[in-house]
Amino acid sequence: MDMSDVQDLHVDKQSRIARIVPTSWFLGLLACSLLIVIAMMGWAGLGMDLLKMSNGKYFLLLTLLATGRYMLRAHPSGWQRVVCDFCEYAGLFVFISLLGATATYPAAAATSGFVDPALARIDAFLGFEWINWYILVANNPWLQTAGSIAYANIYMSPVLLLGGLALSGERARAQLFLFSFWFAALITMVAFLAFPAVGPLAYVWQGPVPYMPTSALYQAEFIPLLRDNLFFMVDLGALQGLVCAPSFHTAAAVIYIAMAWQCRYLRWPLLVINGAMLLSTPVEGTHYLIDMIGGAIVGLFALCTAGAIQYSLPKLRQERRWREIGIWQNLTSSSSAAVPPVVQSQDG
């Protein structure tokens, strides 16, 4: 390796460091998000029993992760640094996930009508027959088991991804993932306000249900209750997916695959895991194909936006540094010109 290669590596390392966002910025962003969700809950007349065991276990988990992050903060290297970073990343991810899922409940209360007829027509135009997918799964128990496991991998992928990023010390990429996930959740919730739907199992399928998928009929059951103020307490241990369009599972899969693509040891495992999750999403998530297309667009947009913001940080910091230097020079030059020279008195 010659000197030019060493200099390139040094510049690349400095660039990655410059793209790291202070943790306090993330905490501030999530604090604002929490206050907004609390206000939404109050508006919808929803509450949460903080002493209930199913809620308390998540608060305990977040407390343990925060404690681990705090206790190991003074170790810049070694396994302590890996554990410290993982505790931080996992804590932020769990908080974003719980906050996003909770926010869909008051959001559902603010919706009206359902857009299933339009979504079903778009699927028909695209040539996608949801009923055929459902019948195939309903007639094959092994597909039901495989599909339910694959659909649950939305929780496995971030553990592998954040663990790998903590192990390799890629803090900037971990932050890119977390911000992309948060932004995708925000876009999904806003889109949900405009496109509420009960899903193809409730709208397209007629007659008895031979196989009840993971997402069941929760949209059709819970959304009317929330609109009529007949649902009062949100249980973190029993959160149900209320968003049909766009598909957040698809948005998450796009983000997982994109973030893992640069890691040789995670690229193909996460591609397989999330590919299986995408194949299971129409039935297990009771999604139209257009829901998944919308989810993919959301995931890509969130990634591109987060990447653009992060990659602009070094330039913004440099401009700010030069601006501060310029202001300081102007102040010092003007002040020196404004102060008259000292005349020594004859008294000496």
Side-chain angles (χ1 to χ4, degrees):
M1 181 180 295
D2 55 23
M3 284 299 298
S4 62
D5 293 334
V6 174
Q7 290 176 352
D8 290 343
L9 288 174
H10 178 72
V11 171
D12 183 63
K13 181 179 180 181
Q14 292 299 320
S15 178
R16 290 199 303 269
I17 293 174
R19 291 197 295 267
I20 294 177
V21 178
T23 304
S24 59
W25 291 18
F26 267 100
L27 296 179
L29 179 66
L30 294 183
C32 292
S33 302
L34 176 62
L35 291 176
I36 293 173
V37 173
I38 291 175
M40 292 171 61
M41 295 272 286
W43 171 84
L46 297 172
M48 182 181 296
D49 185 0
L50 301 181
L51 299 180
K52 191 175 181 179
M53 181 62 67
S54 55
N55 292 323
K57 64 182 181 182
Y58 289 105
F59 297 130
L60 177 61
L61 174 61
L62 290 173
T63 301
L64 291 175
L65 291 171
T67 302
R69 166 67 174 82
Y70 179 80
M71 296 295 292
L72 298 172
R73 70 191 186 283
H75 298 277
S77 61
W79 67 266
Q80 296 97 331
R81 192 272 308 162
V82 174
V83 175
C84 177
D85 286 351
F86 181 76
C87 286
E88 177 183 332
Y89 303 156
L92 291 173
F93 180 82
V94 171
F95 187 85
I96 293 170
S97 300
L98 293 175
L99 195 63
T102 302
T104 61
Y105 282 70
T111 62
S112 61
F114 293 106
V115 297
D116 291 89
L119 298 178
R121 284 196 298 269
I122 295 174
D123 267 17
F125 175 77
L126 295 173
F128 180 75
E129 297 290 341
W130 183 89
I131 290 180
N132 294 339
W133 278 71
Y134 178 72
I135 292 175
L136 177 65
V137 174
N139 291 336
N140 293 274
W142 70 272
L143 282 178
Q144 300 169 18
T145 302
S148 60
I149 294 174
Y151 192 70
N153 279 330
I154 192 173
Y155 306 112
M156 177 60 67
S157 292
V159 173
L160 296 175
L161 186 58
L162 293 176
L165 293 174
L167 191 63
S168 59
E170 297 183 75
R171 187 172 186 80
R173 291 190 60 222
Q175 292 183 340
L176 174 63
F177 166 69
L178 290 169
F179 183 78
S180 299
F181 193 83
W182 172 86
F183 194 40
L186 174 64
I187 298 172
T188 301
M189 190 190 69
V190 173
F192 173 49
L193 293 171
F195 303 103
V198 295
L201 181 61
Y203 179 75
V204 177
W205 183 259
Q206 303 295 326
V209 178
Y211 167 65
M212 187 62 72
T214 303
S215 294
L217 296 167
Y218 294 129
Q219 291 100 335
E221 294 173 352
F222 281 96
I223 294 178
L225 293 177
L226 288 162
R227 290 174 177 175
D228 295 335
N229 295 320
L230 299 176
F231 188 92
F232 306 103
M233 300 299 291
V234 176
D235 186 350
L236 295 179
L239 289 173
Q240 307 297 342
L242 301 182
V243 179
C244 182
S247 165
F248 187 71
H249 264 70
T250 305
V254 169
I255 294 173
Y256 295 159
I257 293 172
M259 293 304 304
W261 199 251
Q262 297 182 24
C263 302
R264 289 185 304 169
Y265 51 89
L266 287 177
R267 179 184 304 169
W268 297 111
L270 285 185
L271 180 62
V272 172
I273 289 174
N274 287 281
M277 184 173 74
L278 289 174
L279 289 174
S280 70
T281 296
V283 173
E284 295 301 325
T286 61
H287 282 293
Y288 302 94
L289 178 61
I290 188 59
D291 299 341
M292 299 181 64
I293 295 174
I297 294 173
V298 168
L300 288 172
F301 181 75
L303 273 170
C304 292
T305 303
I309 293 173
Q310 189 182 61
Y311 276 84
S312 66
L313 284 177
K315 183 178 180 180
L316 292 174
R317 283 173 171 161
Q318 186 178 16
E319 290 178 353
R320 179 181 177 185
R321 190 157 52 242
W322 279 108
R323 193 180 304 117
E324 290 173 348
I325 293 173
I327 293 173
W328 173 252
Q329 289 176 342
N330 291 334
L331 287 174
T332 53
S333 61
S334 60
S335 61
S336 61
V339 177
V342 178
V343 179
Q344 191 173 6
S345 66
Q346 294 182 356
D347 295 336

